[in-house]
Amino acid sequence: MKKLIVTFAFLGFILFSHAQKVIEWPEFKGTTAPFIKILKIELHDTATVMDLRVHFAPNNWIRVPEETWIQDSKGGEKLYVKHAKGIKINEKHFTPENGLNEYTLYFPPVDDDVKTIDYMVSDWKIFGIELVPGEQFSFFPEELLGSWLRTDGSNEWMYGFFDELVIYDSEIWKQVLISQKEDIYQLMLQKKGKKKKLVVKQKGDKLLIGPDEANLELFSKEQTSKSDFVIPNDEEFQLPVFNQDTAYYKGYINGYDPRMGETGMVYADNVLASAQESYLITINDDGTFSASIPMIYPQLLYVRFMRTNESIYFEPGKTTFRFFDLSRHHDDPEPGNLFMGATEKVNRDLLAMKDIRYFDYNYMREKILDMSPEQYKEYNLEIKRKEQDALKEYIQNNPVCKKAQQIKDMQITYRNAQNILSYNMNRTSAYRRKNNVPRDQREIPLENEELDSGFFDFIAAEEINNPLAVTTGGDYDIFINRLKFSDPVRREGIIAVGDQDITAADFEKMGITLDSQNKELLNRLATCETKDDLAGFMIKDSAEYMEFRTKYDEIYREIRLEKLNNIREQKRREGFREYFGFDSGFAWDIIKAQDVSQRMKSSFKPLAEYQIENLRSDFENPFIVDYLLDQSAELENEIARKEEAFSNKSGFVVNETPDAKDGDLFDTIMKKYEGNLVFVDFWATWCGPCRSGMERIKPLKEELKNRNIRFVYITNPSSPKKTWEILMPDIDGEHYYLTQDEWNKMAARFKVSGIPHYVLVGKDGSVLKDKVYFASSNAELKKMFEEYLD
C-alpha cells in the first residue's frame, strides 16, 4: 500500500507542476525503430515526461516493459519508467485500425547538465536525443545536405551529401575539398588515388549537379513522376545464368551507434548443393559496412542486418550499395533507405512490390484440415491468380525493370508450387498444432491423403526446367526440395540390394582388382536365385565369404550404397516423368547435382575416378559438371589438411570402448566423467543434421570450456573409420566408436530412432534428459546447462 501511495504522490506532483523545459520534436542521432516518433519531452524537477507516437500494423500488439529506461548518452544511472498514460506497463497493447499508438511515459528526472539522452527498450532504441540544441558540424551548406534523386522519372539515387562525407558512384568519399564561387560549389573528392570532381548549383529546393558546369542535371530530394519515362538499357535475364564470381555488399548507416550491433549476415542459397551459405557483414564505427559474397549465379539473398530481415538482389562481379538513414526526423522528405549502383533498379522495384504476397500461413493452417486435396489446390491457385493480377496492375502503372518483373513473376509461381506440394506436410503440421502433439512424438493418428496425378498438373515442365528460376534464390531451391520429396516421387517401396547383387565388376569400378578365387566366390553367390540357394551358399561358403566381407567391408558398403542410389534415382526419374512430365533438363541436372554434392559431404569423400568419368555424360549443363569437379578437388585438399592436423590438434580425445561385461556400457563410459555435466551426442559421419548441430554448438562449447561440462560423441560402424578420424579434429570432445552390437544395446536403452540424438547426464552419472531437443539457437541449450551446472 505504501508503494501505491508513493506512486500516486509522484504522479500528482507531475500533473500539477510546470515543466522547466519542453522540447518539441527533439532531434536525435540515430534509431533502431524508425516507426517511433518522439512528439515532445518535458523536463520537470521530479520527472522526465516523454510523449511517443508509434506507427504499427493494425491489431498487432506492442508493449512497454518494466525494463524501459532513459540514460545520459555519456553513460551513468539508468532511469527506469515509473508510469505510463495511454498504455499499461508490461501489458500487451493492441494497435487500433489507424495504425497509430500514442502514449506518455514518465521517468525520473535527468540532471540539469545532461545534454543528450538515450531511450532504451529491447530492440527499440533511440540514441542521442537532444535536450539542449547542439551545433551540427557539416562540411556542406545545409541546402546541399541529403539524398538526391534524378528528376527524369527514374528516381535513381545518384548523390548523398552528409555532414562529413559524400556518397557517389557506389563509393563513400571522406576526403572532400569544397569551394564556392558565387552560387556554384565545386567539390573535389579523393579516395585511394582516385579523384572525382562535382559541380553543384542550387535551383530552388532542387540541385543541379554534374562533372562540370556544362553538364549539369537536375536532382530532387523527392520522387518525380513522369508518365513518358522509359527505363534505359532495360534487359531481361539472359542465358547462361551461371557466372562464378564475387558480389559485394557495402554502404553507409547514417546515425549509426555501435550499440546497435557490429555485424550482420548474408545468406546465399546454393541450389547445386542444396545448402545455404552464410557470410559476415562487418560494420565500422563510422557506420560504413561491407561484405564479400562468392556466388555462382545472380539471385535474391536473405539479409539479416540492423534488425531487419529482407531479400536483396545481388549479381556476381557487381556491387550492391545500400544507404540506411537512422537519423530521419518527423519532417524529413527524402527516402530513408536507398540503393545505388548496378542492382539499384531491380532492388528498388522488388522492394516496392514486396507486399504482393497474399498467402496467409496461419489462415491456411486453420482451414486445411477441412479441405480436400482439390480444395486446397484451388485455394492456392486462386491466390496465385490474385498475385499475378496485382503484379500486372502494378507494372501497368509503374516503370518496373524487366529483371524485377521476371523475378517477381517467378516468385509467385514457385512459392505457389511449394505451397501446393506441401499439402500433406501442412496438414500434418496443422493437426499437431490443433491437438497439441509434441514434436518428439513421431506417430500421429492422421494418414496422408492419396494424391492422384491430376493433383500435380498445376505447373508445366517448362517452368520446372527454367534455368532463370535460380534468380529467385531460396524460392526455387525450396521448390526443388518439395519436388524431390513430393508424395509420388517418394513412393519408392522397399529398395534392397542383396549380397548376390555385388559383382567383381563393381569392385573394378572402385579401382580394385579381385583375385580369381574371390571372383569365383562372387560368381557362385550371383547364381543364388532363391532363399534356399542363398542359405545353401552360406552353409557351404560362409567362412570364405565372411573373410572376404571383412577384408573389403568399407568398399562393400560403398558399392551397396552406389547401387541403392542408382535404383532410387531411376525410381525418382519415373515419378517425375509420370506426374510432372519431365525426366531430363535443368531441374533434373540440379537434383542430380544435389545428390552428388550431398554424398561427397556426408561421406567426406571426393569423387572417384569412375564417378568423374561419368559426370559429363550424366549432365546436360557443363557448368554444373565443372562445379562438382571443383567441389571434389576442394574436398580432397580439405581432407589432406585435416589428415595433417589430426596428429597436431588438441581438444579431442579418442577413447577405447571400456569393457562392460558386468554392467551397462553407457553407465561404464559415464563413470569417467563423474563430477561433470555430460552432453552426449549420438551421431554418424554421414548425418548432415548431426554435423550442422556440432558446428552450431561450437561457440557455446568455447564459452563453457572452463566449466564442469563434457561433450561426448558416440558413433557406430555406419561411420567409415577413416572418415571419422578425418572429422574428429574439428569436433572437440570425447569420442567413442562402438561395434554394431554395442550401438544396438545403447540405442535400445535410449530409444534412438534417428540421429542426431542427444542425452544429458548429471554429475552423479544419472540421466537427466534422455531426449534433448536441440533448438536452432544455443540460448535455450545454454539455459538448460546453466540450470544443472549451478
Side-chain angles (χ1 to χ4, degrees):
M1 190 66 179
K2 182 178 180 182
K3 182 179 179 182
L4 185 64
I5 293 171
V6 170
T7 301
F8 278 135
F10 171 80
L11 289 174
F13 188 88
I14 294 303
L15 293 174
F16 293 103
S17 67
H18 295 288
Q20 293 177 310
K21 189 174 185 180
V22 177
I23 306 103
E24 303 274 356
W25 293 101
E27 300 287 319
F28 57 85
K29 177 187 174 184
T31 177
T32 64
F35 43 84
I36 300 179
K37 305 297 182 185
I38 305 176
L39 307 180
K40 181 176 64 176
I41 295 177
E42 295 181 13
L43 302 178
H44 297 257
D45 287 336
T46 53
T48 303
V49 183
M50 187 177 291
D51 289 344
L52 299 172
R53 176 185 295 154
V54 178
H55 298 255
F56 220 64
N59 303 315
N60 285 328
W61 59 269
I62 63 172
R63 179 165 52 196
V64 176
E66 294 174 351
E67 295 77 21
T68 301
W69 76 86
I70 57 173
Q71 184 181 29
D72 186 344
S73 297
K74 295 179 180 179
E77 183 184 1
K78 295 178 181 179
L79 306 175
Y80 288 93
V81 65
K82 295 293 185 181
H83 180 66
K85 185 169 65 175
I87 194 170
K88 293 183 179 179
I89 294 176
N90 223 31
E91 292 187 16
K92 291 181 180 179
H93 175 85
F94 287 88
T95 304
E97 289 297 330
N98 65 2
L100 297 179
N101 304 276
E102 293 195 356
Y103 50 89
T104 303
L105 301 182
Y106 297 82
F107 300 89
V110 297
D111 293 340
D112 292 339
D113 59 348
V114 173
K115 295 183 178 180
T116 63
I117 60 173
D118 299 332
Y119 170 80
M120 313 292 278
V121 48
S122 186
D123 287 338
W124 296 7
K125 298 179 173 66
I126 307 176
F127 298 94
I129 306 166
E130 293 185 2
L131 305 182
V132 178
E135 292 185 9
Q136 300 296 321
F137 170 79
S138 176
F139 284 134
F140 309 106
E142 186 174 351
E143 58 267 22
L144 268 61
L145 294 174
S147 300
W148 296 93
L149 314 178
R150 275 191 161 135
T151 57
D152 60 356
S154 69
N155 293 303
E156 181 181 2
W157 177 44
M158 294 295 293
Y159 302 98
F161 301 122
F162 301 99
D163 289 340
E164 300 179 5
L165 56 86
V166 172
I167 298 176
Y168 168 58
D169 197 25
S170 297
E171 296 280 359
I172 297 169
W173 306 83
K174 291 191 171 183
Q175 291 178 270
V176 182
L177 296 175
I178 183 170
S179 61
Q180 182 181 5
K181 185 178 180 181
E182 297 179 351
D183 60 345
I184 294 178
Y185 298 93
Q186 287 196 2
L187 279 64
M188 296 300 299
L189 315 178
Q190 298 183 55
K191 181 178 183 180
K192 295 179 181 178
K194 292 190 291 186
K195 292 184 179 181
K196 296 278 187 180
K197 177 185 175 183
L198 293 178
V199 174
V200 182
K201 182 178 181 180
Q202 190 175 4
K203 186 176 182 180
D205 60 353
K206 297 178 174 60
L207 294 180
L208 290 164
I209 310 174
D212 51 57
E213 290 187 51
N215 295 279
L216 296 179
E217 184 181 347
L218 189 65
F219 290 86
S220 172
K221 288 185 179 181
E222 297 183 348
Q223 293 195 0
T224 305
S225 178
K226 289 193 174 182
S227 59
D228 59 347
F229 172 72
V230 176
I231 301 172
N233 305 314
D234 192 20
E235 294 181 348
E236 294 185 332
F237 287 105
Q238 303 295 322
L239 295 177
V241 71
F242 289 115
N243 174 26
Q244 192 157 12
D245 207 335
T246 300
Y248 300 95
Y249 186 42
K250 62 182 184 180
Y252 175 63
I253 307 165
N254 192 31
Y256 172 72
D257 186 293
R259 288 171 293 176
M260 295 176 179
E262 298 175 352
T263 61
M265 294 298 294
V266 179
Y267 300 92
D269 283 278
N270 183 340
V271 73
L272 298 184
S274 189
Q276 192 177 70
E277 297 152 354
S278 57
Y279 301 96
L280 185 70
I281 304 171
T282 55
I283 312 174
N284 302 311
D285 289 344
D286 62 359
T288 59
F289 64 87
S290 63
S292 300
I293 310 141
M295 298 179 71
I296 56 176
Y297 49 88
Q299 62 163 310
L300 287 171
L301 304 185
Y302 184 68
V303 179
R304 184 172 288 163
F305 188 44
M306 297 306 297
R307 294 179 176 81
T308 60
N309 303 320
E310 58 187 347
S311 293
I312 297 178
Y313 175 74
F314 292 86
E315 286 191 17
K318 295 184 179 178
T319 295
T320 295
F321 189 96
R322 188 76 185 274
F323 169 67
F324 294 89
D325 193 349
L326 306 184
S327 67
R328 296 184 67 211
H329 303 285
H330 68 285
D331 56 351
D332 284 349
E334 72 267 22
N337 297 319
L338 296 165
F339 291 94
M340 182 180 283
T343 64
E344 180 269 340
K345 180 59 174 167
V346 183
N347 275 306
R348 182 153 51 94
D349 288 346
L350 288 173
L351 192 63
M353 297 187 292
K354 68 182 177 68
D355 291 334
I356 303 178
R357 188 172 182 175
Y358 302 150
F359 182 79
D360 186 333
Y361 182 79
N362 291 324
Y363 175 84
M364 176 277 299
R365 196 164 56 176
E366 291 292 329
K367 301 295 183 182
I368 189 171
L369 292 174
D370 298 321
M371 290 181 181
S372 69
E374 283 300 322
Q375 287 173 328
Y376 175 80
K377 174 183 165 184
E378 182 53 36
Y379 160 74
N380 281 281
L381 291 176
E382 179 59 25
I383 291 174
K384 179 182 178 181
R385 286 189 285 269
K386 289 180 180 178
E387 290 179 342
Q388 289 174 329
D389 289 344
L391 174 60
K392 187 182 298 183
E393 182 180 356
Y394 185 87
I395 291 170
Q396 288 174 347
N397 296 313
N398 299 275
V400 180
C401 71
K402 291 176 181 178
K403 286 183 177 180
Q405 292 182 38
Q406 286 178 286
I407 290 175
K408 189 64 182 180
D409 184 59
M410 289 186 291
Q411 278 187 314
I412 292 171
T413 295
Y414 297 113
R415 286 173 178 172
N416 184 262
Q418 292 169 27
N419 294 332
I420 296 177
L421 289 171
S422 302
Y423 170 67
N424 272 315
M425 184 178 73
N426 287 340
R427 190 165 166 267
T428 299
S429 174
Y431 180 89
R432 284 182 174 275
R433 181 173 181 269
K434 182 178 180 180
N435 295 282
N436 296 315
V437 179
R439 53 193 161 199
D440 58 354
Q441 180 182 325
R442 292 179 177 270
E443 301 297 327
I444 63 172
L446 179 73
E447 294 185 2
N448 280 349
E449 289 280 358
E450 288 293 325
L451 305 173
D452 59 29
S453 58
F455 181 82
F456 299 97
D457 64 1
F458 56 86
I459 188 165
E462 306 84 65
E463 292 174 312
I464 295 173
N465 271 328
N466 182 6
L468 299 180
V470 297
T471 60
T472 65
D475 291 318
Y476 185 67
D477 198 1
I478 294 171
F479 165 70
I480 289 292
N481 177 271
R482 296 292 187 269
L483 198 66
K484 283 168 57 177
F485 296 101
S486 60
D487 293 20
V489 177
R490 293 186 69 182
R491 291 173 187 160
E492 299 170 340
I494 298 174
I495 299 176
V497 175
D499 291 354
Q500 62 271 37
D501 297 320
I502 309 297
T503 68
D506 294 321
F507 282 84
E508 293 282 352
K509 283 174 59 179
M510 306 292 283
I512 297 172
T513 302
L514 300 177
D515 59 31
S516 57
Q517 184 179 346
N518 285 331
K519 286 181 180 179
E520 178 58 29
L521 177 70
L522 290 179
N523 287 337
R524 292 200 302 274
L525 181 58
T527 63
C528 297
E529 296 180 356
T530 67
K531 290 183 179 178
D532 290 340
D533 293 340
L534 190 59
F537 171 86
M538 289 302 176
I539 292 171
K540 182 181 178 181
D541 300 303
S542 62
E544 183 183 354
Y545 183 63
M546 291 310 296
E547 182 181 353
F548 169 77
R549 280 292 306 275
T550 301
K551 180 179 180 180
Y552 295 109
D553 182 59
E554 190 169 328
I555 300 298
Y556 189 93
R557 284 207 304 267
E558 284 188 43
I559 293 172
R560 190 185 188 94
L561 181 61
E562 184 80 14
K563 286 182 173 289
L564 283 169
N565 288 331
N566 289 339
I567 295 171
R568 288 194 180 101
E569 181 178 301
Q570 185 57 38
K571 287 183 173 290
R572 179 189 286 167
R573 195 167 193 162
E574 291 169 0
F576 287 144
R577 185 188 306 122
E578 179 181 353
Y579 287 87
F580 297 100
F582 81 100
D583 60 1
S584 61
F586 184 75
W588 181 245
D589 273 4
I590 293 293
I591 290 165
K592 286 193 300 178
Q594 291 180 356
D595 289 345
V596 173
S597 178
Q598 288 169 355
R599 279 202 291 270
M600 279 195 284
K601 288 178 184 175
S602 62
S603 66
F604 212 71
K605 286 187 176 181
L607 296 172
E609 283 300 323
Y610 78 93
Q611 293 171 318
I612 292 174
E613 290 175 8
N614 292 337
L615 277 185
R616 297 205 183 275
S617 60
D618 287 347
F619 290 87
E620 295 180 18
N621 191 298
F623 179 92
I624 296 178
V625 175
D626 292 338
Y627 172 82
L628 293 172
L629 291 174
D630 288 345
Q631 293 297 101
S632 180
E634 287 180 16
L635 181 56
E636 197 168 353
N637 292 333
E638 185 179 352
I639 289 171
R641 289 194 300 271
K642 288 181 180 292
E643 286 176 334
E644 186 178 349
F646 182 76
S647 59
N648 301 323
K649 182 167 181 181
S650 60
F652 68 95
V653 178
V654 179
N655 294 280
E656 292 292 332
T657 305
D659 184 359
K661 291 181 180 177
D662 299 327
D664 182 272
L665 175 60
F666 185 82
D667 293 338
T668 304
I669 291 174
M670 288 300 107
K671 284 180 182 178
K672 179 180 178 181
Y673 310 107
E674 283 184 0
N676 295 281
L677 189 68
V678 186
F679 186 66
V680 183
D681 184 339
F682 292 91
W683 74 292
T685 59
W686 47 263
C687 169
C690 298
R691 283 160 55 185
S692 64
M694 292 171 178
E695 194 64 30
R696 195 163 60 238
I697 202 176
K698 274 184 180 179
L700 180 58
K701 288 166 68 176
E702 180 65 22
E703 189 178 341
L704 299 173
K705 66 181 180 181
N706 296 321
R707 306 288 294 277
N708 290 337
I709 182 170
R710 299 293 178 267
F711 294 86
V712 173
Y713 297 91
I714 298 175
T715 192
N716 62 25
S718 72
S719 297
K721 199 76 174 279
K722 184 174 177 60
T723 306
W724 178 67
E725 291 173 349
I726 291 171
L727 289 176
M728 268 192 292
D730 280 337
I731 310 170
D732 289 350
E734 305 270 341
H735 293 266
Y736 293 86
Y737 191 97
L738 306 186
T739 66
Q740 193 60 51
D741 287 338
E742 290 168 340
W743 174 273
N744 290 344
K745 292 176 183 178
M746 210 173 281
R749 171 176 174 178
F750 292 105
K751 298 181 176 58
V752 179
S753 57
I755 53 176
H757 184 101
Y758 307 103
V759 174
L760 190 65
V761 178
K763 296 178 181 180
D764 61 354
S766 62
V767 175
L768 302 173
K769 295 179 182 293
D770 64 2
K771 195 174 236 184
V772 177
Y773 175 70
F774 192 176
S776 59
S777 166
N778 287 335
E780 187 178 336
L781 202 57
K782 181 184 177 183
K783 184 178 179 182
M784 181 184 69
F785 289 161
E786 292 284 3
E787 177 184 350
Y788 295 105
L789 284 170
D790 293 339

